[in-house]
Amino acid sequence: MCFCSKRELLLIALFFLFLCLLMIQVLSTFEESLFNSLFSEGLLIIGWVAMWEPVDIFLYGWWPIIHKRNVYEKIIGMDVYLNKGSPERENISLYRFISRKGS
């Protein structure tokens, strides 16, 4: 479990991808070989896999947060009535809370 913020997670993944791409460039200066090709492709795959979680967070992870915010905004905007006694005495409100949005 990472205790980083979403922005820090993205920066770490981008930095790791940058390092992988930099190492691929360094490897390209050497003679072409099977090992060189395998290592270069492996670095490219590992770099993009490191980006998987931050991209997932920024593309899809914020939808539940937006949904919760909308629910809380609806709750804040609700009128709340507290009555003492039975439902037959509903017309006598002892407490009434009105949202501040209407004011």
Side-chain angles (χ1 to χ4, degrees), residues 1 19 22 24 31 35-37 85-86 94:
M1 176 87 190
L19 288 179
L22 185 66
I24 290 170
E31 183 180 326
F35 176 75
N36 191 356
S37 295
S86 65
L94 295 179

Side-chain angles (χ1 to χ4, degrees), residues 16-101:
F16 183 75
L17 178 63
F18 171 77
L19 288 179
C20 289
L21 294 174
L22 185 66
M23 287 185 64
I24 290 170
Q25 285 297 106
V26 169
L27 286 174
S28 69
T29 61
F30 296 118
E31 183 180 326
E32 186 67 33
S33 67
L34 179 63
F35 176 75
N36 191 356
S37 295
L38 285 173
F39 197 64
S40 294
E41 291 299 319
L43 283 173
L44 184 63
I45 292 168
I46 290 171
W48 284 109
V49 167
M51 289 293 297
W52 190 300
E53 182 68 21
V55 169
D56 180 58
I57 289 171
F58 281 98
L59 288 179
Y60 307 110
W62 56 277
W63 284 104
I65 296 169
I66 297 295
H67 177 69
K68 280 185 181 179
R69 185 198 66 194
N70 291 341
V71 168
Y72 293 147
E73 283 179 352
K74 287 180 183 179
I75 291 171
I76 288 172
M78 295 171 78
D79 292 338
V80 178
Y81 301 98
L82 300 175
N83 295 323
K84 184 177 180 182
S86 65
E88 292 84 34
R89 298 182 58 198
E90 194 172 306
N91 59 351
I92 305 172
S93 295
L94 295 179
Y95 301 102
R96 185 174 181 204
F97 299 99
I98 306 292
S99 70
R100 293 184 184 161
K101 282 189 173 181

